[in-house]
Amino acid sequence: MSSNRLPDESSPLISDREHSEVESDVHRGSAADGEALRRTEGDRQHGETYDNVPKAKRQLGLFSAAFLIFNRIIGTGIYATPSSILRSSGSVGVALIMWLVGASIAACGTAVYVEFGTGLPRSGGEKNYLEFIYRRPKFLVTCTYAFYTFIMGTATANSVVFSEYLLHAVSLEPTWLNTRLVAFSCLTFICFIHGTRLQWGLRLQNALGLSKLVILVLISLSGVLCLAGVRGIRVGDQYEKPDNFSSWGKFWEGSGTGANAFVSGLYNVIWSFIGYANANYALSEVRDPVRTIKRAAPLAMISVTLVYLFINVAYFAVVSKKDILESRRIVAALYFRNLFGPTTEKALSAFIALSTLGNLLSGQFSQGRVIQELGREGVMPYSSFFASNKPFNAPLAGLFSQYLISCTFLLAVPPGDAYLFLISLSSYSLSLINALVSFGLLLLYSSRYTAWNWSPPFQAPKLIVLLFFLSNLFLVTVPFFPPVAGSRTYDKLPYWAHSAGGLVLALFGLTYWYFWSKWLPEKRGYRLQRRWVLQEDGVSRYAFHKVPATLNPPQ
């Protein structure tokens, strides 16, 4: 497998123009193949010399890195999912326990990704970690992960959510055409600003993240003040007064919905926390990445957890349990109606639309970097194109390719089973990748992997890693069990369609790997060798060239 450590600035590289003359593959990096950042190097070098990128590219500090995570996690879930979670839990007390369990699982995942981020401080996230752990057969992991990347990074679903809430805020009918037109415009704007105006894109997503945090804190505070009986902040007389916290019995009333319902609700909670690894995808652009990721990830996750818990308390303090369970409206709308009046509903829609836009900006910012890192590995067709920062010093090629995929899903896939399948496939694929990453981290501490010399500046407790692995193993296996009687995942597709599709993606990667690295070279009588080349934008990458199979490989 390729080295995850790039040559330092003193390592001789060849330029793209010289590459065509290369006849041998010599890795000129200063580190051994696959070497991670040593514990003793972590605080001294901060990881900046791990990846050979121009220092001017490192524009993300603690604030930006934290909001990459915060923005990515908080999208629309906290406004809608509490009602379904309460339905699964049966009581307010169990619902809050579910959120605490979900926060604990997210904390485990955060610790796992902080450890990998400090040990392999380079953009690309799971791509680097899987390559570091699963090194044989060569290039197989990279080829396979590439197929998952384009599925997991699609922004189609959230762009539609943004569109629907924005249309509601401006009193326009959410027809198919209107919804798709606004969603298409949103995706186009994100690709443009992140691909051509890097600084403006960062400022916008940071501003949206900060405003989102402030508004959510104010919403939480208003609910807590209502619960405390502060004069002037109370539920309108025309609405049912909640008694969810009036007594210990009321707090737990309705508990005992069964294990299946509890698992279903917990599944929704876990997905509300997804995004804790988002800063890992852009570490090559972070200043002092080792130090920053150790601070930014916990800061973001503590903020998210507190916001989630206090928002739920606020909901239950203002909206009755009956209204939450029986109303078809999202719980946030009921909250605003009860406390501020029905005229504030459009303001809520505008806020949720902006919250979703921040989520989209953060997700696509990182996704462009992942595709760029795949280009730097050299295994994709037109790798030099995807690896380049030209012409605006941003990964426009990666952003644009993901933009095309998202727009294709948006315009070509009809609502219904096909659309739900793509969303579920993305979620399932992420669980599968998380399971492989956390299992791999456990392997790195086994005696068989001692030669890997894994000793990062931060190490997650082994029990936390194990819990994260088991939680993702659960998410990977549960979709293969039939749903309870009376519930259906799809109208026409089998319930296991998306989970089977997630495994089929691995077969696509395996097929591409075999065709590109085995079958084609044997058929045409050459073997693949690669070497670091220095692009004109100052970023290094791997480039493959074909050597006649009759030549002896370099020693």
Side-chain angles (χ1 to χ4, degrees):
M1 179 54 58
S2 65
S3 169
N4 282 28
R5 176 157 184 178
L6 297 177
D8 57 33
E9 294 179 1
S10 62
S11 302
L13 300 171
I14 59 175
S15 68
D16 279 343
R17 285 188 293 271
E18 295 173 303
H19 172 243
S20 59
E21 302 173 3
V22 175
E23 295 298 334
S24 65
D25 178 28
V26 181
H27 182 192
R28 304 208 182 251
S30 58
D33 186 43
E35 186 176 355
L37 186 68
R38 300 292 186 140
R39 181 190 296 275
T40 55
E41 295 176 335
D43 292 331
R44 187 178 78 247
Q45 297 184 8
H46 304 292
E48 286 195 3
T49 59
Y50 186 90
D51 193 2
N52 186 32
V53 299
K55 193 172 181 66
K57 275 184 64 67
R58 296 191 179 274
Q59 303 181 56
L60 304 180
L62 176 64
F63 185 79
S64 295
F67 274 119
L68 267 178
I69 300 171
F70 184 85
N71 257 326
R72 183 66 182 87
I73 295 176
I74 298 184
T76 60
I78 189 57
Y79 313 112
T81 57
S83 56
S84 62
I85 291 167
L86 178 61
R87 199 170 291 113
S88 298
S89 63
S91 71
V92 172
V94 175
L96 292 177
I97 287 176
M98 282 185 178
W99 284 99
L100 288 172
V101 172
S104 300
I105 294 173
C108 294
T110 302
V112 168
Y113 279 94
V114 169
E115 175 166 349
F116 272 118
T118 59
L120 302 168
R122 173 187 174 183
S123 293
E126 298 98 339
K127 179 196 77 70
N128 301 326
Y129 316 147
L130 295 172
E131 287 175 342
F132 183 83
I133 301 163
Y134 307 106
R135 305 185 184 186
R136 294 290 184 272
K138 268 192 171 184
F139 316 128
L140 175 58
V141 162
T142 311
C143 292
T144 303
Y145 182 76
F147 281 86
Y148 284 100
T149 295
F150 289 103
I151 293 296
M152 293 188 300
T154 178
T156 304
N158 274 350
S159 69
V160 171
V161 172
F162 166 81
S163 176
E164 290 174 344
Y165 278 105
L166 184 61
L167 289 170
H168 183 266
V170 297
S171 301
L172 289 177
E173 186 180 356
T175 62
W176 186 93
L177 180 60
N178 287 346
T179 302
R180 263 53 185 180
L181 183 61
V182 174
F184 175 77
S185 300
C186 173
L187 293 172
T188 304
F189 168 74
I190 292 171
C191 181
F192 170 79
I193 196 168
H194 276 332
T196 65
R197 298 292 185 269
L198 177 60
Q199 285 297 329
W200 282 104
L202 285 172
R203 289 168 185 161
L204 177 59
Q205 70 185 29
N206 286 345
L208 288 172
L210 181 59
S211 62
K212 185 190 306 187
L213 176 60
V214 170
I215 293 174
L216 287 172
V217 168
L218 291 176
I219 294 174
S220 302
L221 182 60
S222 63
V224 172
L225 293 176
C226 178
L227 182 63
V230 174
R231 182 178 300 178
I233 304 179
R234 62 188 182 86
V235 176
D237 294 334
Q238 66 273 40
Y239 305 118
E240 182 181 352
K241 303 296 189 292
D243 59 354
N244 298 314
F245 297 103
S246 61
S247 67
W248 186 251
K250 283 290 184 181
F251 187 66
W252 297 102
E253 186 179 61
S255 301
T257 55
N260 191 284
F262 184 89
V263 167
S264 176
L266 185 59
Y267 196 90
N268 287 327
V269 174
I270 291 172
W271 285 116
S272 295
F273 280 95
I274 290 300
Y276 41 77
N278 204 45
N280 292 57
Y281 301 135
L283 283 180
S284 294
E285 299 182 36
V286 173
R287 295 188 297 271
D288 296 342
V290 170
R291 181 184 180 192
T292 299
I293 194 64
K294 287 195 292 185
R295 297 182 177 186
L299 177 62
M301 292 307 299
I302 290 172
S303 300
V304 168
T305 301
L306 290 176
V307 164
Y308 277 178
L309 289 177
F310 279 106
I311 282 287
N312 273 279
V313 170
Y315 288 158
F316 295 133
V318 172
V319 186
S320 70
K321 182 179 176 182
K322 179 182 178 182
D323 275 355
I324 295 176
L325 294 176
E326 294 181 359
S327 176
R328 293 182 177 272
R329 303 166 70 187
I330 65 171
V331 66
L334 296 172
Y335 177 90
F336 269 67
R337 182 203 68 180
N338 286 12
L339 207 57
F340 306 114
T343 57
T344 60
E345 189 171 340
K346 291 190 184 302
L348 172 64
S349 295
F351 171 61
I352 296 178
L354 290 176
S355 177
T356 309
L357 178 59
N359 177 276
L360 285 163
L361 282 164
S362 180
Q364 292 307 289
F365 177 91
S366 298
Q367 188 63 19
R369 273 74 190 164
V370 176
I371 297 174
Q372 183 179 45
E373 290 303 308
L374 287 169
R376 292 180 69 190
E377 288 298 324
V379 302
M380 296 170 60
Y382 309 105
S383 288
S384 61
F385 171 72
F386 287 105
S388 176
N389 277 315
K390 288 184 175 182
F392 301 105
N393 195 33
L396 179 58
L399 289 163
F400 187 72
S401 61
Q402 193 64 66
Y403 164 76
L404 288 179
I405 292 175
S406 297
C407 288
T408 300
F409 289 166
L410 175 69
L411 301 174
V413 178
D417 277 0
Y419 194 76
L420 180 59
F421 168 78
L422 291 173
I423 296 174
S424 301
L425 175 61
S426 174
S427 300
Y428 184 84
S429 298
L430 183 57
S431 292
L432 190 60
I433 295 297
N434 280 337
L436 290 171
V437 167
S438 51
F439 178 70
L441 185 54
L442 293 172
L443 288 179
L444 290 177
Y445 287 105
S446 65
S447 57
R448 186 177 179 182
Y449 281 73
T450 303
W452 266 238
N453 295 318
W454 181 248
S455 184
F458 170 83
Q459 292 183 331
K462 308 304 178 295
L463 178 60
I464 283 180
V465 180
L466 178 61
L467 289 174
F468 185 60
F469 166 67
L470 292 176
S471 67
N472 281 283
L473 183 63
F474 167 78
L475 295 176
V476 167
T477 54
V478 162
F480 284 101
F481 292 92
V484 295
S487 64
R488 299 182 64 182
T489 306
Y490 302 102
D491 288 332
K492 297 180 180 179
L493 294 176
Y495 64 87
W496 43 262
H498 59 277
S499 46
L503 300 179
V504 169
L505 285 176
L507 293 179
F508 286 155
L510 175 64
T511 302
Y512 173 77
W513 166 80
Y514 180 79
F515 176 80
W516 166 75
S517 70
K518 299 293 183 184
W519 184 82
L520 204 58
E522 290 178 5
K523 181 176 179 62
R524 298 187 177 179
Y526 65 83
R527 53 186 171 83
L528 293 171
Q529 291 186 349
R530 65 179 186 171
R531 186 177 182 179
W532 290 111
V533 300
L534 188 63
Q535 301 178 144
E536 293 181 1
D537 58 9
V539 177
S540 59
R541 66 178 177 86
Y542 269 129
F544 283 88
H545 58 283
K546 300 170 184 177
V547 176
T550 54
L551 294 180
N552 293 326
Q555 299 298 319

